[in-house]
Amino acid sequence: MTNPKLSQSPHWSRVARLRPQLREHVRTYPQEYRGERWYVLWDQSSRRHLRFSATAYAFIARLDGKISVEEAWYKCIAGLKEVALTQDEVLLILTQLFAVDVLRSDLPLEATHFFQRYQRDKNIKRRNAFMNPLAIRIPMLDPNAILNRFMPWVRPVFSKPSVFIWFLVVGLAAMMAMLKFPAIDASFNSEIFSPSNILSMIAVFIFIKTAHEFAHAFTVKMWGGDVHEMGITFLVFAPIPYVDASAAWLFQDKYKRMLVGAAGIVTELFIASLALFVWLLVEPGLVKDAAFNAMLVGSISTVVFNGNPLLRFDGYYVLQDWIEIPNLYTRSGRYYLYLIRRYLFGVVDETPPVTAEGETPWLVVYGIGAFFYRLFILTVIVMFLADEYLFIGVALASWAVAMQIIVPLARALRFMFTSPSMDEHRSRAAVVTASLLVSMSLFLVMVPISLTTRVEGVVWVSDQAQLYTGTEGFVEEVLVKSGQHVQVGTPIIRMRAPELEAEIAKLEALLRELEARGAAEYLKHKVKSKITAEEKYTVNVELVLLKGRQAALDITS
């Protein structure tokens, strides 16, 4: 059987006569995205998911173990006609199904080796850990029984009164934060990174992130899903709890999937709001410091990381469900690859990864936005680590440059020189790539870059570097040279206060007068003598105070 209208794959003969069948523990769930029907295949044993378009599922649904791949393909062609799958697309579908072990078939050795060349999922966790040392995941327990036990207590949280309370608390906290912003801003100081506060921040961080992950888990349970994996992710070498909430992918209602993604963000904002109220009410101390740390973790980390859709955390999954573009990050990268191959390398028959109307602007904007934001966050993390721990920062920076620039460039070059799809366009691709590299090199070499930067600022010395006087006066002599190192107690400045000297001389004269008067009155007027003695005592005390001020005119380090 042949069809001249469809392209022939050189590998088709290896799979055409196979009779594969989906395993019994594979379940199918339909979903709607931008008016298009999609299907999620869920493997109940491994809890893994694959999402396919309606066209792809029309082929997969025919894999019953009785008909061959080629027969299923031709039936698919007869049913779909103009949107039928090509042989290469069928090969890709079979490879994906084989990779996650959801096909039951007595594959010949040749076909098994063929699929294994494309199979990557068995090593994907290890490879991802190697490629991204900032995020290493370690599963630890199955929380499903714990969730079932506490679900009756948590279920009332998913109600309209709870939503009203959340908006009331978070709204009031937002207004208070704006009113008290100067006080909050003043609390940001070097003491935040002191050893004692770091311990408090770590404890608060683990508590909030644990509540964050349990919020995801309970939300999945609320809508009938199961959660069977919980553990720790080492994000930037910091242990952070995580939960596998991928069961939410099976929910047909996109708003339920969005709520699962947003549950952690909602929880963190609520905790941060309560922490703000505590911080405003209590006196300085351990509780106030812990409340301030909770404010930072629950607000800043939510905005910069979890709630930001440019990173593949909670905000990303909420966004892709809201705009109904599955695999937004991956497909945006594929769309830029399509643009390069189509318009730079001249591959005219290249197919864009766009499946519905309105996806193109999202793919373009998200692709470039996510790339630069991830680069910015990585740069900030590297600079922080380099400032605090030089060796770790330098090692991480080298790793980042290798993984973000060198490795992708090497893959692109390998694809350009080895891919069969580039056979007719390899010369043009090589010329364009070489031209771009030369242009970038010339730009970096020829364009002058300033070695200095001029900015305006205020120099504020630390408390240990400031000099204090005990009284007012005029500088009479500076006893050390500028830049000279001094020890504790070294005289720095000699000052003079003429008015103070005159006052001391006046009191000394008065004291001598009182002493003479007291001596004359001692024998004749006992009462006057005691009064004079009191006056002399008062003058003497005042004189001691003035001489103390005079001694303070000599400033020491």
Side-chain angles (χ1 to χ4, degrees):
M1 294 184 292
T2 60
N3 190 331
K5 295 183 180 180
L6 297 175
S7 60
Q8 299 295 314
S9 170
H11 306 294
W12 182 250
S13 60
R14 303 185 181 185
V15 301
R17 293 178 176 80
L18 299 179
R19 299 177 183 273
Q21 179 183 4
L22 293 178
R23 297 186 184 275
E24 295 179 355
H25 50 71
V26 177
R27 296 292 181 265
T28 303
Y29 296 84
Q31 292 182 345
E32 294 286 336
Y33 288 96
R34 292 180 171 267
E36 299 288 337
R37 176 60 66 98
W38 290 72
Y39 293 87
V40 175
L41 268 65
W42 179 42
D43 185 350
Q44 291 179 310
S45 62
S46 64
R47 301 188 301 277
R48 304 173 77 173
H49 306 76
L50 285 176
R51 184 185 285 111
F52 293 98
S53 64
T55 304
Y57 184 72
F59 167 77
I60 296 173
R62 291 179 167 85
L63 302 180
D64 58 1
K66 299 178 181 179
I67 64 175
S68 66
V69 169
E70 191 169 45
E71 291 172 338
W73 178 54
Y74 276 108
K75 288 185 178 182
C76 187
I77 293 174
L80 299 175
K81 297 180 180 179
E82 70 277 2
V83 292
L85 297 170
T86 65
Q87 290 181 352
D88 286 330
E89 290 172 336
V90 171
L91 287 172
L92 179 61
I93 292 172
L94 291 174
T95 300
Q96 291 174 328
L97 296 175
F98 178 82
V100 295
D101 195 28
V102 297
L103 287 181
R104 182 173 62 188
S105 175
D106 296 329
L107 297 178
L109 184 62
E110 181 183 2
T112 301
H113 288 168
F114 169 72
F115 283 130
Q116 286 176 345
R117 290 202 304 267
Y118 296 91
Q119 203 267 353
R120 294 290 184 270
D121 280 3
K122 288 185 178 180
N123 298 322
I124 193 168
K125 290 185 178 180
R126 182 184 303 173
R127 184 187 64 185
N128 286 345
F130 178 81
M131 296 290 289
N132 185 10
L134 300 182
I136 302 175
R137 178 170 290 191
I138 302 177
M140 298 183 66
L141 58 91
D142 184 344
N144 203 55
I146 300 175
L147 299 174
N148 290 332
R149 180 178 301 176
F150 287 96
M151 194 62 206
W153 299 86
V154 178
R155 193 175 300 276
V157 173
F158 298 89
S159 62
K160 292 182 179 180
S162 297
V163 174
F164 173 77
I165 293 173
W166 185 90
F167 276 106
L168 179 64
V169 172
V170 175
L172 289 175
M175 290 189 293
M176 293 300 297
M178 290 187 289
L179 293 174
K180 300 294 184 179
F181 181 77
I184 297 175
D185 183 59
S187 298
F188 285 94
N189 51 50
S190 59
E191 296 297 324
I192 293 179
F193 298 103
S194 63
S196 60
N197 194 66
I198 287 293
L199 295 176
S200 172
M201 183 171 289
I202 291 175
V204 169
F205 185 86
I206 294 176
F207 167 76
I208 291 180
K209 294 305 177 182
T210 301
H212 174 114
E213 297 305 325
F214 270 105
H216 288 309
F218 279 117
T219 309
V220 172
K221 296 293 293 184
M222 180 65 187
W223 309 124
D226 286 330
V227 180
H228 293 284
E229 182 177 310
M230 196 169 189
I232 294 177
T233 294
F234 286 91
L235 187 62
V236 196
F237 310 112
I240 303 174
Y242 83 90
V243 67
D244 181 7
S246 58
W249 296 350
L250 307 179
F251 299 159
Q252 294 187 13
D253 188 347
K254 75 173 185 179
Y255 294 104
K256 291 182 179 179
R257 298 195 300 270
M258 291 171 61
L259 183 58
V260 172
I265 301 173
V266 170
T267 301
E268 288 198 27
L269 290 177
F270 188 77
I271 294 176
S273 301
L274 297 179
L276 174 63
F277 297 137
V278 173
W279 182 76
L280 292 174
L281 293 175
V282 302
E283 296 295 327
L286 183 61
V287 175
K288 192 178 186 72
D289 293 340
F292 190 77
N293 293 334
M295 289 167 49
L296 295 182
V297 173
S299 57
I300 294 180
S301 68
T302 297
V303 174
V304 177
F305 293 101
N306 285 324
N308 196 313
L310 297 178
L311 297 175
R312 295 180 69 181
F313 295 124
D314 298 341
Y316 165 77
Y317 295 103
V318 173
L319 175 65
Q320 74 169 9
D321 281 324
W322 177 52
I323 63 178
E324 299 184 7
I325 301 182
N327 303 322
L328 175 61
Y329 176 78
T330 304
R331 293 174 62 193
S332 62
R334 289 171 53 196
Y335 187 79
Y336 275 94
L337 181 61
Y338 155 76
L339 294 178
I340 293 173
R341 297 182 63 188
R342 173 66 178 83
Y343 296 101
L344 291 182
F345 296 167
V347 184
V348 181
D349 57 349
E350 184 73 8
T351 303
V354 177
T355 60
E357 184 179 356
E359 288 186 345
T360 301
W362 283 104
L363 297 179
V364 172
V365 174
Y366 185 85
I368 191 170
F371 173 77
F372 283 107
Y373 186 76
R374 287 168 178 266
L375 198 61
F376 167 75
I377 290 296
L378 184 60
T379 302
V380 172
I381 293 174
V382 168
M383 292 180 65
F384 171 76
L385 291 176
D387 183 55
E388 298 293 331
Y389 315 99
L390 180 60
F391 176 77
I392 296 178
V394 172
L396 185 60
S398 302
W399 196 291
V401 171
M403 294 300 104
Q404 299 294 324
I405 298 177
I406 298 178
V407 171
L409 183 60
R411 288 177 176 173
L413 293 175
R414 184 180 63 180
F415 172 82
M416 184 177 64
F417 288 109
T418 61
S419 175
S421 63
M422 296 296 296
D423 288 342
E424 299 179 1
H425 310 278
R426 187 164 287 119
S427 299
R428 174 174 173 175
V431 172
V432 171
T433 303
S435 301
L436 291 175
L437 293 176
V438 171
S439 300
M440 293 175 60
S441 301
L442 290 176
F443 175 81
L444 294 175
V445 173
M446 302 300 295
V447 175
I449 300 177
S450 176
L451 299 179
T452 61
T453 302
R454 181 179 178 180
V455 295
E456 295 183 1
V458 177
V459 178
W460 190 268
V461 297
S462 62
D463 293 342
Q464 293 83 358
Q466 295 182 4
L467 296 175
Y468 299 92
T469 63
T471 185
E472 297 180 355
F474 297 93
V475 176
E476 187 175 55
E477 183 182 3
V478 178
L479 304 176
V480 296
K481 296 181 180 180
S482 178
Q484 177 181 339
H485 290 278
V486 298
Q487 302 296 329
V488 176
T490 302
I492 304 295
I493 296 175
R494 180 178 294 119
M495 298 178 62
R496 185 181 179 188
E499 294 182 359
L500 182 60
E501 293 174 359
E503 188 69 21
I504 291 175
K506 178 181 177 181
L507 290 177
E508 287 178 342
L510 179 58
L511 184 60
R512 289 193 296 269
E513 178 185 347
L514 292 174
E515 289 176 348
R517 186 194 307 172
E521 296 174 342
Y522 182 75
L523 296 176
K524 297 180 180 180
H525 304 284
K526 296 293 185 180
V527 177
K528 289 184 178 181
S529 176
K530 290 183 179 181
I531 295 175
T532 302
E534 292 291 335
E535 292 180 8
K536 186 174 66 173
Y537 174 78
T538 302
V539 172
N540 204 6
V541 171
E542 188 174 355
L543 186 60
V544 170
L545 293 175
L546 292 179
K547 287 186 176 181
R549 290 175 57 190
Q550 187 180 39
L553 291 173
D554 292 334
I555 303 175
T556 60
S557 63

